[in-house]
Amino acid sequence: MTDSSESLNFIEQIVAEDLANGLPKENLRFRFPPEPNGYLHIGHAASICLNFGLGNKFNAPVNLRFDDTNPTKEEQEYVDAIKNDIQWLGFQWAQECYSSDYFQQLYDWAIELIKKGKAYVDPQSAEKMAEQKGTPTTPGTPSPYRDSSVEENLEIFDKMKNGEYPAGAYVLRAKIDMASPNMLMRDPLLYRIVNKPHHRTGSEWCIYPMYDWAHGESDYIEQISHSICTLEFKPHRELYDWFLDQIYDDNKQRPKQREFARRNLSYTVMSKRKLLQLVESKTVSGWDDPRMPTISGLRRRGYTPESIKKFSEVSGITKRDSVTDVSLLEFCIREDLNKTATRVMAVLDPVKLVITNYPQDKVEMLEAENNPEDPKAGTHEVPFSRELYIEREDFKEEANSKYFRLSLGKEVRLKSAYIIKGESVVKDENGNITEIHCTCDLDSRSGSGTEASMRKVKGTLHWVSIAHAVKAEVREYDRLFLDEAPDSHEGKDFMEFVNPDSLNIIKEAYLEPFLKEAQLEDKFQFQRLGYFTLDKNASAEHLIFNKTVGLRDSWAKQQSEKKAQNQPQPKANKNQPQAQRSALNEMQKISKKYTNLSGAKLEAARADIEKLAEEITYDELEPLFNTAAKKVGTRIGVMISLGVLLKNGQERNDSINEFISKGAEDNNELLAEEANKLG
RNA sequence: UGCCCGAUGGUGUAACUGGCAACACGUCUGAUUUUGGUUCAGAAGAGUCUAGGUUCGAGCCCUAGUCGGGCAACCA
């Protein structure tokens, strides 16, 4: 992470530049400022990793500051959850701070502002003030209370503080500029009266500072050097600076606000309001439902801190808004779990398999590798017996050579056990398979070292011994929304896109007995199926496993493609012009670099273009006559191709003549030369 | 209609001060494999939103436009 050869993101560059311009290293200080009104999500993780990453990179302290200026929404529950999540991610803050710790200082500064004639109390209704604010294109009009005397303002503000007015009776506003093109500068609110106890200050205060007033000043109090926030606060920067100007002392570090784009994830929503809606509508079971993009949801789902940090790192920091595909998140968790998860076997959709030549009462304890990626991970024992469960999907009575699994007359290996051959099936009156009978090559036991055990068979199946199997509930999750960006459709509520099948509960799955000992934080790979972890509600009597993510599955992909191909495809004609265009594309590609070439390479490129031109039609070529003048290479390629077409009998027309004469006049010698050949 | 951001393969990001557009995910081949996983080798895919300009040379600088996002809570 401290690798200096890595390119810095733009925030890191700003810090590095400030350092280069003389900012003392020891003045560097960052902060992560959540509002305790909801749970942290994967988007916050980006901010956490950015701020704490900055701390690591520049060896500077990072404060955790709860921006708790609104007692109507904030709760201790959220404070605790947020702290827990940050620690779980593996970050340690320098100081635990609260904006509410600064209420007195903020209040004192507000008094100063009033005394300087830069703030005033206003009794008007919110509607009235909004009206006076104007619109982005028309200036506002001053409040009739804008020029009240300092004494009067002081007196009322004091009474506001003492709880002598009901909520909403008065506000304190900064006196800035009612005509500013920035709406936030049109006399913004500093304080409002709220009659609700605060989770930390109790009922000590009746007035609470607004975000803009509290945030920058808190940064200043904590001597934060760089205050990083998301893009929507960009317009607030002007106000942030204005407030700082009022109280700033030259001998102290002046914080600066910089903004980056918040991270969106495909197939989910990220705003706390919407996540809350999912919780309150019972669409999900809670903030930590494994389908939620919250840190706690991801944790319950089986994501690791490493995977989330890796995701943040790989996603990067910029100023353009974007939607990152979940496949990147999934890649990050697979990569981590592949290295660390213990391999076990579990059958989710069982069908009985009887090994007819295996003794009735025999039980063997076989050795199974815990992790082939890590030899040091060791092994564990798996009981093997005559009657097993395998996955229903792993058997077909008849199958073609592309199917590597069990079918009648074909051999497969049972993972860590024997090679078996399908012999017959038992069916019920409806024709459903109830038992598969097979024989086993008794010499082929895995690890026995016999020749038979080394035989190559195409497929390997996972299994569990019925007599020894442990029952468990298994929960599989799919994306919560069917749309890639559910909250991006105008006129449509994001709730319309909720995926009705995002949760699939398997009431009775069969696991190898080793899993009985599973602990909450353990990570397993159910072989050939995916990664799983114990749910927090599991007990020894009732095991519950959550599926974190499936393994990559090229077989499933093939199958779904085959299915798609069987449907009539309107897509077919889309591919055709592409194939036709390829000669043209090829020609353009070569032409692009044409002017960089010389000598033999140039000759070769020219010959290639001529050859390709044989396959290009005039209709394809003509639009390229309009190629921008500066794209000389392409114009040369087009000129050469045109020469070939003319030679092959294409008749001259006005467009052609114009293109040639323009080319002949071009400053580029190569182009002029080619044009003159045709002229 | 005002102000402020942004625009680079399908996706997310790079490109030091202007010098042959790179990396990761995803996709596709092939090899290896007691997980149709992993690993390994390779491929396809962008003329950097458009049009002008400056320059020997522009993704980067300038001008104009287009498109997308944000801004008028007693929320943060």
Side-chain angles (χ1 to χ4, degrees):
Chain A
M1 257 193 208
T2 45
D3 189 351
S4 58
S5 67
E6 257 172 56
S7 71
L8 302 178
N9 66 48
F10 84 100
I11 297 283
E12 292 166 341
Q13 274 173 36
I14 287 170
V15 176
E17 239 166 71
D18 287 343
L19 249 21
N21 290 335
L23 175 70
K25 241 187 92 181
E26 55 277 13
N27 282 23
L28 239 35
R29 185 177 293 267
F30 309 98
R31 110 263 91 117
F32 173 64
E35 183 191 8
N37 70 339
Y39 283 66
L40 260 22
H41 54 62
I42 185 84
H44 292 114
S47 176
I48 294 170
C49 292
L50 174 59
N51 281 298
F52 284 95
L54 246 16
N56 286 337
K57 184 160 228 139
F58 295 99
N59 196 21
V62 184
N63 288 349
L64 168 61
R65 180 167 75 239
F66 290 99
D67 220 335
D68 56 351
T69 56
N70 184 1
T72 61
K73 288 186 180 171
E74 295 150 6
E75 293 171 28
Q76 187 62 37
E77 176 201 348
Y78 296 125
V79 171
D80 299 336
I82 288 168
K83 284 164 67 177
N84 183 34
D85 284 348
I86 297 171
Q87 276 169 331
W88 177 75
L89 280 173
F91 294 112
Q92 193 46 249
W93 49 86
Q95 294 173 48
E96 180 180 334
C97 308
Y98 295 82
S99 296
S100 54
D101 290 344
Y102 315 135
F103 281 174
Q104 185 61 45
Q105 173 68 78
L106 257 14
Y107 175 79
D108 295 343
W109 275 330
I111 300 273
E112 262 180 59
L113 241 48
I114 295 174
K115 286 183 179 163
K116 283 195 271 187
K118 290 188 171 176
Y120 62 97
V121 294
D122 197 326
Q124 298 182 100
S125 68
E127 297 72 38
K128 192 75 200 163
M129 281 189 276
E131 215 173 278
Q132 289 164 356
K133 221 161 201 180
T135 71
T137 50
T138 57
T141 51
S143 161
Y145 302 86
R146 199 169 199 259
D147 292 313
S148 309
S149 72
V150 169
E151 294 69 34
E152 205 176 329
N153 282 323
L154 246 21
E155 192 190 322
I156 298 174
F157 188 50
D158 190 53
K159 287 183 179 169
M160 282 168 66
K161 185 207 175 203
N162 294 333
E164 295 180 32
Y165 301 115
Y170 280 97
V171 294
L172 183 72
R173 304 175 71 177
K175 195 193 285 187
I176 308 182
D177 177 8
M178 289 305 287
S180 170
N182 183 349
M183 297 296 290
L184 292 158
M185 300 299 277
R186 324 246 262 225
D187 289 11
L189 269 59
L190 263 61
Y191 277 95
R192 76 286 210 192
I193 300 171
V194 180
N195 290 319
K196 205 188 162 205
H198 185 274
H199 69 104
R200 298 196 88 233
T201 61
S203 43
E204 188 185 341
W205 293 88
C206 304
I207 53 171
Y208 290 91
M210 300 290 290
Y211 165 84
D212 287 297
W213 174 236
H215 200 95
E217 318 312 279
S218 300
D219 285 339
Y220 180 66
I221 292 168
E222 289 174 27
Q223 285 292 281
I224 301 301
S225 58
H226 299 263
S227 180
I228 316 297
C229 61
T230 43
L231 236 38
E232 70 269 26
F233 289 99
K234 177 68 217 286
H236 293 246
R237 189 148 116 195
E238 195 180 354
L239 183 53
Y240 182 100
D241 287 332
W242 189 91
F243 280 142
L244 241 29
D245 284 339
Q246 311 311 312
I247 58 149
Y248 175 57
D249 171 350
D250 257 337
N251 300 318
K252 290 191 166 174
Q253 176 63 39
R254 180 183 172 119
K256 73 205 267 187
Q257 174 185 304
R258 288 297 180 270
E259 311 82 13
F260 71 98
R262 60 166 19 133
R263 178 147 307 286
N264 299 298
L265 236 203
S266 63
Y267 297 100
T268 191
V269 293
M270 213 64 109
S271 92
K272 279 194 253 185
R273 204 204 89 230
K274 288 172 185 148
L275 294 175
L276 182 64
Q277 196 178 332
L278 288 167
V279 172
E280 290 185 335
S281 64
K282 300 268 196 281
T283 306
V284 297
S285 65
W287 284 97
D288 68 347
D289 185 296
R291 292 165 292 180
M292 291 282 271
T294 50
I295 305 291
S296 51
L298 290 166
R299 174 168 59 232
R300 190 168 167 193
R301 173 94 171 240
Y303 276 76
T304 57
E306 289 67 32
S307 66
I308 292 172
K309 285 190 276 195
K310 173 76 189 262
F311 175 71
S312 294
E313 183 195 319
V314 166
S315 298
I317 298 291
T318 56
K319 289 174 82 164
R320 62 183 102 102
D321 33 30
S322 55
V323 181
T324 305
D325 201 288
V326 276
S327 66
L328 189 60
L329 218 209
E330 291 179 347
F331 163 78
C332 293
I333 187 58
R334 284 194 189 108
E335 181 188 55
D336 188 29
L337 258 22
N338 175 52
K339 287 185 298 200
T340 55
T342 302
R343 270 48 173 193
V344 294
M345 291 193 285
V347 175
L348 303 187
D349 182 21
V351 61
K352 187 173 176 180
L353 179 79
V354 180
I355 304 164
T356 53
N357 62 337
Y358 197 85
Q360 197 70 248
D361 302 318
K362 186 171 175 185
V363 177
E364 271 183 284
M365 295 307 284
L366 303 176
E367 192 172 73
E369 241 180 335
N370 285 335
N371 188 342
E373 305 299 313
D374 177 13
K376 292 194 300 269
T379 60
H380 68 274
E381 288 192 321
V382 199
F384 183 83
S385 65
R386 180 184 159 94
E387 297 191 346
L388 312 174
Y389 280 136
I390 62 168
E391 221 59 69
R392 198 163 274 279
E393 208 193 24
D394 285 341
F395 176 78
K396 259 191 198 173
E397 285 182 75
E398 284 171 56
N400 63 23
S401 60
K402 287 273 170 58
Y403 186 81
F404 302 162
R405 309 175 183 189
L406 186 63
S407 57
L408 295 181
K410 243 183 63 182
E411 284 195 322
V412 293
R413 177 181 295 280
L414 294 175
K415 178 77 189 175
S416 307
Y418 296 89
I419 294 172
I420 56 165
K421 187 201 241 174
E423 301 288 357
S424 62
V425 293
V426 179
K427 295 183 179 177
D428 65 14
E429 63 274 20
N430 300 321
N432 299 318
I433 297 171
T434 54
E435 277 181 28
I436 301 160
H437 287 193
C438 67
T439 52
C440 160
D441 177 349
L442 293 165
D443 279 336
S444 67
R445 201 186 79 219
S446 293
S448 64
T450 62
E451 206 173 306
S453 71
M454 316 281 234
R455 281 165 51 207
K456 304 271 178 218
V457 287
K458 195 65 188 164
T460 301
L461 268 42
H462 60 275
W463 52 272
V464 294
S465 165
I466 294 177
H468 306 87
V470 174
K471 289 178 190 168
E473 179 177 327
V474 170
R475 317 222 262 228
E476 297 182 309
Y477 304 98
D478 197 357
R479 42 193 61 155
L480 233 194
F481 292 91
L482 293 167
D483 189 88
E484 195 175 280
D487 52 3
S488 71
H489 301 273
E490 219 173 311
K492 281 196 175 176
D493 189 75
F494 74 101
M495 294 294 282
E496 287 179 39
F497 300 101
V498 167
N499 177 5
D501 302 317
S502 60
L503 171 63
N504 177 37
I505 297 181
I506 296 158
K507 280 281 174 208
E508 201 164 277
Y510 297 86
L511 320 179
E512 61 167 282
F514 179 71
L515 252 5
K516 228 179 168 147
E517 311 301 324
Q519 301 293 308
L520 194 54
E521 292 293 304
D522 289 348
K523 304 284 181 277
F524 297 101
Q525 186 196 90
F526 290 6
Q527 289 188 96
R528 304 209 304 135
L529 296 176
Y531 296 99
F532 293 78
T533 195
L534 208 57
D535 187 77
K536 65 168 192 182
N537 290 337
S539 65
E541 301 73 45
H542 185 59
L543 292 175
I544 305 171
F545 281 91
N546 290 322
K547 181 170 179 178
T548 308
V549 65
L551 259 27
R552 283 187 64 206
D553 190 347
S554 50
W555 169 248
K557 202 184 298 169
Q558 261 180 54
Q559 297 307 297
S560 59
E561 265 166 33
K562 222 164 103 187
K563 233 190 228 165
Q565 267 171 26
N566 289 341
Q567 322 288 3
Q569 265 199 335
K571 225 172 125 191
N573 56 2
K574 208 173 148 197
N575 292 334
Q576 233 157 17
Q578 213 169 23
Q580 276 174 12
R581 266 205 332 258
S582 71
L584 187 76
N585 282 345
E586 195 72 4
M587 181 278 285
Q588 286 180 277
K589 213 170 143 184
I590 296 170
S591 304
K592 171 177 151 186
K593 300 279 165 64
Y594 197 81
T595 51
N596 295 337
L597 304 174
S598 61
K601 281 185 175 173
L602 184 86
E603 285 306 312
R606 193 176 187 287
D608 284 345
I609 292 169
E610 283 190 312
K611 206 170 140 200
L612 286 161
E614 299 285 348
E615 291 167 44
I616 296 172
T617 66
Y618 177 73
D619 288 345
E620 289 178 303
L621 197 63
E622 203 200 71
L624 294 182
F625 290 177
N626 295 323
T627 302
K630 72 173 174 184
K631 292 171 190 166
V632 181
T634 302
R635 287 164 65 93
I636 296 172
V638 172
M639 195 64 77
I640 295 170
S641 303
L642 178 59
V644 173
L645 292 181
L646 289 171
K647 204 178 75 194
N648 289 347
Q650 169 66 40
E651 291 199 20
R652 292 187 182 241
N653 60 31
D654 289 350
S655 302
I656 291 177
N657 290 333
E658 196 193 327
F659 181 64
I660 293 174
S661 62
K662 255 171 112 180
E665 290 163 16
D666 199 275
N667 289 334
N668 184 286
E669 281 177 28
L670 284 167
L671 177 55
E673 191 189 319
E674 294 294 345
N676 285 326
K677 280 188 203 165
L678 308 181

